[in-house]
Amino acid sequence: MHSNAGNDLSGNPLESPPLQVVRMGTAAVSAFLHRIQEMMETGRVDLQYCKLVDVPLDVLSYDAVHTIVLSHNDLDTLPQGIGNLRHLANLDVSFNHINNLPTEIGDCLGLQTLILSQNKLTKLP
């Protein structure tokens, strides 16, 4: 991962990194912040293997995001706010513990790719 030392994230409504990321140490926090900055620049966020139990608010508050990769985490659900991401085209939440999807996922009208493999889903909305 790239160092975040030269990156300027001022003026952005960032929340604190999730506690799971903080517990992983300084390098993980730096990598997380780099990934959030990349999201703001490219519209793509890759937070796989971050031990997340919740989708970070930073991701849900950035309407221009078009690709979210949250695979290989500890998510058991997706927040209702996912439906506010009107430009979301690709969502990968594979290899988590998701047992249901919020009905608001249907509000993501541009969603083209939804990867749900290796979860605990028993029904779809």
Side-chain angles (χ1 to χ4, degrees):
M1 251 336 112
H2 303 288
S3 169
N4 214 31
N7 299 330
D8 180 9
L9 296 169
S10 62
N12 291 299
L14 290 174
E15 298 288 326
S16 296
L19 185 57
Q20 299 83 6
V21 174
V22 172
R23 287 180 179 156
M24 290 169 34
T26 305
V29 170
S30 180
F32 175 84
L33 292 175
H34 173 75
R35 291 173 180 186
I36 295 297
Q37 180 183 12
E38 181 181 338
M39 174 187 71
M40 292 178 185
E41 293 171 357
T42 67
R44 181 181 193 285
V45 64
D46 182 346
L47 294 173
Q48 60 184 331
Y49 295 103
C50 287
K51 299 182 181 178
L52 299 174
V53 295
D54 295 306
V55 177
L57 294 177
D58 298 317
V59 173
L60 296 175
S61 65
Y62 192 63
D63 183 48
V65 69
H66 59 78
T67 300
I68 300 173
V69 180
L70 292 166
S71 64
H72 298 89
N73 279 293
D74 294 318
L75 303 173
D76 57 15
T77 189
L78 292 176
Q80 295 174 342
I82 197 84
N84 296 331
L85 301 176
R86 304 288 184 220
H87 300 286
L88 186 62
N90 306 293
L91 177 60
D92 180 354
V93 291
S94 60
F95 295 91
N96 277 283
H97 309 286
I98 297 172
N99 52 33
N100 63 46
L101 294 175
T103 57
E104 289 80 3
I105 195 83
D107 294 336
C108 299
L109 301 178
L111 191 60
Q112 298 171 5
T113 304
L114 177 59
I115 303 174
L116 299 166
S117 59
Q118 301 302 313
N119 278 288
K120 297 180 179 183
L121 292 167
T122 57
K123 64 180 182 172
L124 297 174

